[in-house]
Amino acid sequence: MLKAERHNYIMDKLVKEQKVNTINLAHDLKISEDSIRRDLNELNRKGLLEKVYGGAFPIVDKPTNIFDITILNGDKKNSIGNKALSLIHDGQVIIISGGTTNLAFSKLIPHDLKATIYTYSLPIAMQLSQHPNVELIFIGGKMQKKAMVTIGMDVVQVLSKVKADICFMGSSSINVRLGLTEMGYEVSLVKKAMMEASDKVVCMVTSEKLNTKMPYLVCELNQLNTIITDLNPNNPILEEYLKAGVQVL
């Protein structure tokens, strides 16, 4: 198969499945994983996809207005957010990480909720600024412009002084054997600090991120209290997570 044909195949698969995996592409196209990595790197340089460890995701256009962020797989993320609502109540101190799953969740939080919420996500902070009874604390630091979250030691130091009841953490990937992993080292450090500051840790993850991995470890699976996905908890895909002793919603 010619390179142009491979690239067309990769882009078509990305549109249909919203992610591609290096190993699966190599198997489908009957070429080496190194060749696939070169293809993905070339497509990444052309701005056609976002290359990550082990595969690639579609490019999401950055909006001109922060309230116009496109949330891919919105139905799945709203399903997760609605499940997460059962875990919040008045009087809590809550930490919410970045990501569009948590942004979808923040849009569902009742306007009459009386709580203290910490976040290092600018879109989530702006969303929650519309809630009159939420004491909102935005954690400043170095801005990671692509994700619109703050990172670095300033964020870690603030989190080290927080005593939260619960944290809602988005994730790039989750794996029964490896636990929670992230694309970026600095993001992984912030999420570790977020966990240490919280009595209860809730991982919010869409089903396509299950059984995937990224380069930087956040935590092992047994350090999570709850995993919330868009799947029914009885789905066979979640069986190994349940066996590991994690609550699954």
Side-chain angles (χ1 to χ4, degrees):
M1 184 181 287
L2 297 174
K3 183 169 73 170
E5 293 175 315
R6 295 200 308 271
H7 287 188
N8 286 335
Y9 178 88
I10 291 168
M11 294 307 300
D12 286 345
K13 194 173 184 69
L14 198 59
V15 169
K16 291 175 184 174
E17 300 183 9
Q18 293 298 301
K19 67 172 182 176
V20 290
N21 177 281
T22 303
I23 296 172
N24 292 343
L25 286 173
H27 179 268
D28 293 346
L29 297 173
K30 296 180 174 56
I31 60 175
S32 69
E33 290 179 36
D34 284 341
S35 296
I36 290 296
R37 290 188 190 98
R38 286 192 290 271
D39 285 341
L40 294 179
N41 284 332
E42 183 174 340
L43 292 167
N44 183 76
R45 286 193 298 272
K46 291 179 178 178
L48 298 174
L49 52 73
E50 182 178 356
K51 173 76 170 65
V52 298
Y53 184 81
F57 288 99
I59 291 288
V60 179
D61 291 334
K62 192 172 182 179
T64 54
N65 186 314
I66 199 163
F67 288 105
D68 293 335
I69 292 174
T70 300
I71 299 179
L72 294 175
N73 298 315
D75 290 345
K76 291 182 177 182
K77 291 171 183 179
N78 284 335
S79 172
I80 291 169
N82 278 309
K83 292 179 183 181
L85 290 177
S86 66
L87 302 176
I88 62 173
H89 55 76
D90 286 349
Q92 284 179 314
V93 176
I94 301 167
I95 305 174
I96 302 179
S97 78
T100 52
T101 300
N102 277 344
L103 178 58
F105 169 51
S106 72
K107 291 174 181 285
L108 297 171
I109 292 175
H111 274 249
D112 60 351
L113 179 72
K114 298 176 182 177
T116 299
I117 300 181
Y118 288 81
T119 187
Y120 43 86
S121 164
L122 183 56
I124 290 173
M126 294 189 71
Q127 177 65 38
L128 292 175
S129 69
Q130 302 175 86
H131 287 62
N133 298 317
V134 166
E135 182 180 1
L136 176 64
I137 301 167
F138 177 67
I139 306 173
K142 181 174 72 173
M143 178 64 71
Q144 190 182 71
K145 294 179 182 177
K146 189 171 184 180
M148 288 190 283
V149 296
T150 53
I151 54 175
M153 289 311 298
D154 289 339
V155 180
V156 172
Q157 286 174 1
V158 171
L159 287 169
S160 70
K161 296 172 183 163
V162 173
K163 299 298 180 187
D165 297 297
I166 190 168
C167 70
F168 293 94
M169 181 158 28
S171 179
S172 295
S173 63
I174 189 168
N175 184 293
V176 173
R177 185 173 60 85
L178 298 175
L180 236 62
T181 53
E182 274 297 332
M183 246 184 286
Y185 175 67
E186 288 187 297
V187 171
S188 73
L189 291 181
V190 169
K191 288 190 173 179
K192 285 177 182 178
M194 175 179 165
M195 292 180 63
E196 290 172 4
S198 306
D199 290 338
K200 185 173 184 178
V201 181
V202 179
C203 176
M204 318 255 277
V205 59
T206 50
S207 50
E208 66 269 12
K209 295 179 180 179
L210 294 169
N211 303 325
T212 62
K213 64 179 181 178
M214 294 291 173
Y216 298 104
L217 178 68
V218 176
C219 71
E220 295 180 359
L221 200 65
N222 61 11
Q223 292 176 268
L224 300 173
N225 298 99
T226 305
I227 297 171
I228 305 179
T229 80
D230 51 282
L231 302 175
N232 185 300
N234 295 322
N235 191 297
I237 295 173
L238 297 169
E239 185 176 347
E240 292 300 315
Y241 294 89
L242 288 164
K243 286 181 180 177
V246 182
Q247 180 188 29
V248 177
L249 297 181

CSV table of all heavy atoms in Angstrom, one decimal, residues 73-95:
chain,number,residue,atom,x,y,z
A,73,ASN,N,-17.9,13.7,21.8
A,73,ASN,CA,-18.6,12.6,22.5
A,73,ASN,C,-19.4,13.2,23.7
A,73,ASN,O,-19.4,12.7,24.8
A,73,ASN,CB,-17.6,11.6,23.1
A,73,ASN,CG,-16.8,10.9,22.0
A,73,ASN,OD1,-17.4,10.5,21.0
A,73,ASN,ND2,-15.5,10.8,22.1
A,74,GLY,N,-20.1,14.3,23.3
A,74,GLY,CA,-20.9,15.0,24.4
A,74,GLY,C,-21.9,14.1,25.1
A,74,GLY,O,-22.0,14.3,26.3
A,75,ASP,N,-22.5,13.2,24.4
A,75,ASP,CA,-23.5,12.4,25.1
A,75,ASP,C,-22.8,11.5,26.1
A,75,ASP,O,-23.4,11.3,27.3
A,75,ASP,CB,-24.2,11.5,24.1
A,75,ASP,CG,-25.1,12.3,23.1
A,75,ASP,OD1,-25.5,13.4,23.5
A,75,ASP,OD2,-25.6,11.7,22.1
A,76,LYS,N,-21.7,10.9,25.8
A,76,LYS,CA,-21.0,10.1,26.8
A,76,LYS,C,-20.5,10.9,28.0
A,76,LYS,O,-20.7,10.5,29.1
A,76,LYS,CB,-19.7,9.5,26.1
A,76,LYS,CG,-20.0,8.5,25.1
A,76,LYS,CD,-18.7,7.9,24.5
A,76,LYS,CE,-18.9,6.8,23.5
A,76,LYS,NZ,-17.6,6.2,23.1
A,77,LYS,N,-20.1,12.1,27.7
A,77,LYS,CA,-19.5,12.9,28.8
A,77,LYS,C,-20.7,13.5,29.7
A,77,LYS,O,-20.5,13.6,30.9
A,77,LYS,CB,-18.7,14.1,28.3
A,77,LYS,CG,-17.4,13.5,27.7
A,77,LYS,CD,-16.5,14.5,26.9
A,77,LYS,CE,-15.3,13.7,26.3
A,77,LYS,NZ,-14.4,14.6,25.5
A,78,ASN,N,-21.8,13.8,29.1
A,78,ASN,CA,-23.0,14.2,29.9
A,78,ASN,C,-23.5,13.0,30.8
A,78,ASN,O,-23.9,13.2,31.9
A,78,ASN,CB,-24.1,14.7,29.0
A,78,ASN,CG,-23.8,16.0,28.4
A,78,ASN,OD1,-23.1,16.8,29.1
A,78,ASN,ND2,-24.4,16.3,27.3
A,79,SER,N,-23.4,11.8,30.2
A,79,SER,CA,-23.8,10.6,31.0
A,79,SER,C,-22.9,10.4,32.2
A,79,SER,O,-23.4,10.2,33.3
A,79,SER,CB,-23.7,9.3,30.1
A,79,SER,OG,-23.9,8.2,30.9
A,80,ILE,N,-21.6,10.6,32.0
A,80,ILE,CA,-20.6,10.6,33.1
A,80,ILE,C,-20.9,11.7,34.1
A,80,ILE,O,-21.0,11.4,35.4
A,80,ILE,CB,-19.2,10.7,32.6
A,80,ILE,CG1,-18.8,9.5,31.8
A,80,ILE,CG2,-18.2,10.9,33.7
A,80,ILE,CD1,-17.5,9.6,31.0
A,81,GLY,N,-21.2,12.9,33.6
A,81,GLY,CA,-21.4,14.0,34.5
A,81,GLY,C,-22.7,13.8,35.4
A,81,GLY,O,-22.7,14.2,36.6
A,82,ASN,N,-23.7,13.3,34.8
A,82,ASN,CA,-25.0,13.0,35.5
A,82,ASN,C,-24.8,12.0,36.6
A,82,ASN,O,-25.3,12.1,37.7
A,82,ASN,CB,-26.1,12.6,34.6
A,82,ASN,CG,-26.7,13.7,33.9
A,82,ASN,OD1,-27.2,14.7,34.5
A,82,ASN,ND2,-26.8,13.7,32.5
A,83,LYS,N,-23.9,11.0,36.3
A,83,LYS,CA,-23.6,10.0,37.4
A,83,LYS,C,-22.8,10.7,38.5
A,83,LYS,O,-23.0,10.4,39.7
A,83,LYS,CB,-22.8,8.8,36.8
A,83,LYS,CG,-23.6,8.0,35.9
A,83,LYS,CD,-22.7,6.8,35.3
A,83,LYS,CE,-23.4,6.0,34.3
A,83,LYS,NZ,-22.5,4.9,33.8
A,84,ALA,N,-21.9,11.6,38.2
A,84,ALA,CA,-21.1,12.2,39.2
A,84,ALA,C,-21.9,13.1,40.1
A,84,ALA,O,-21.5,13.4,41.2
A,84,ALA,CB,-20.0,13.0,38.5
A,85,LEU,N,-23.0,13.7,39.6
A,85,LEU,CA,-23.8,14.6,40.4
A,85,LEU,C,-24.3,13.9,41.7
A,85,LEU,O,-24.5,14.6,42.7
A,85,LEU,CB,-25.0,15.0,39.6
A,85,LEU,CG,-24.8,16.0,38.5
A,85,LEU,CD1,-26.1,16.3,37.8
A,85,LEU,CD2,-24.1,17.3,38.9
A,86,SER,N,-24.4,12.6,41.7
A,86,SER,CA,-24.8,11.8,42.9
A,86,SER,C,-23.8,11.9,44.0
A,86,SER,O,-24.1,11.6,45.2
A,86,SER,CB,-25.1,10.4,42.6
A,86,SER,OG,-24.0,9.7,42.2
A,87,LEU,N,-22.6,12.3,43.7
A,87,LEU,CA,-21.5,12.3,44.7
A,87,LEU,C,-21.3,13.7,45.3
A,87,LEU,O,-20.4,13.9,46.2
A,87,LEU,CB,-20.2,11.8,44.1
A,87,LEU,CG,-20.3,10.4,43.5
A,87,LEU,CD1,-18.9,10.1,42.8
A,87,LEU,CD2,-20.6,9.4,44.5
A,88,ILE,N,-22.0,14.7,44.9
A,88,ILE,CA,-21.8,16.1,45.4
A,88,ILE,C,-23.0,16.5,46.2
A,88,ILE,O,-24.1,16.1,46.0
A,88,ILE,CB,-21.5,17.1,44.3
A,88,ILE,CG1,-22.6,17.2,43.3
A,88,ILE,CG2,-20.2,16.7,43.6
A,88,ILE,CD1,-22.4,18.4,42.3
A,89,HIS,N,-22.7,17.3,47.2
A,89,HIS,CA,-23.8,17.9,48.1
A,89,HIS,C,-23.3,19.2,48.7
A,89,HIS,O,-22.1,19.5,48.7
A,89,HIS,CB,-24.2,16.9,49.1
A,89,HIS,CG,-23.1,16.4,50.0
A,89,HIS,ND1,-22.6,17.1,51.0
A,89,HIS,CD2,-22.5,15.2,50.0
A,89,HIS,CE1,-21.6,16.4,51.6
A,89,HIS,NE2,-21.5,15.3,51.0
A,90,ASP,N,-24.2,19.9,49.3
A,90,ASP,CA,-23.8,21.2,49.9
A,90,ASP,C,-22.8,21.0,51.0
A,90,ASP,O,-22.8,20.0,51.7
A,90,ASP,CB,-25.1,21.8,50.6
A,90,ASP,CG,-26.1,22.4,49.5
A,90,ASP,OD1,-25.7,22.5,48.4
A,90,ASP,OD2,-27.2,22.7,49.9
A,91,GLY,N,-21.9,22.0,51.1
A,91,GLY,CA,-20.9,22.0,52.2
A,91,GLY,C,-19.6,21.4,51.9
A,91,GLY,O,-18.7,21.4,52.6
A,92,GLN,N,-19.5,20.7,50.7
A,92,GLN,CA,-18.3,20.0,50.3
A,92,GLN,C,-17.2,21.0,49.9
A,92,GLN,O,-17.5,22.1,49.4
A,92,GLN,CB,-18.5,19.0,49.2
A,92,GLN,CG,-19.2,17.7,49.6
A,92,GLN,CD,-19.4,16.8,48.4
A,92,GLN,OE1,-19.9,17.3,47.4
A,92,GLN,NE2,-19.1,15.5,48.6
A,93,VAL,N,-15.9,20.5,50.1
A,93,VAL,CA,-14.8,21.2,49.4
A,93,VAL,C,-14.4,20.2,48.3
A,93,VAL,O,-14.1,19.0,48.5
A,93,VAL,CB,-13.6,21.4,50.4
A,93,VAL,CG1,-12.4,21.9,49.6
A,93,VAL,CG2,-14.0,22.3,51.5
A,94,ILE,N,-14.4,20.7,47.0
A,94,ILE,CA,-14.3,19.9,45.9
A,94,ILE,C,-13.1,20.4,45.0
A,94,ILE,O,-12.9,21.6,44.9
A,94,ILE,CB,-15.6,19.9,45.0
A,94,ILE,CG1,-16.8,19.5,45.8
A,94,ILE,CG2,-15.5,19.2,43.7
A,94,ILE,CD1,-18.2,19.8,45.2
A,95,ILE,N,-12.4,19.5,44.4
A,95,ILE,CA,-11.4,19.8,43.4
A,95,ILE,C,-11.8,19.2,42.1
A,95,ILE,O,-12.2,18.0,42.0
A,95,ILE,CB,-10.0,19.3,43.8
A,95,ILE,CG1,-9.5,19.8,45.2
A,95,ILE,CG2,-8.9,19.7,42.7
A,95,ILE,CD1,-8.2,19.1,45.7
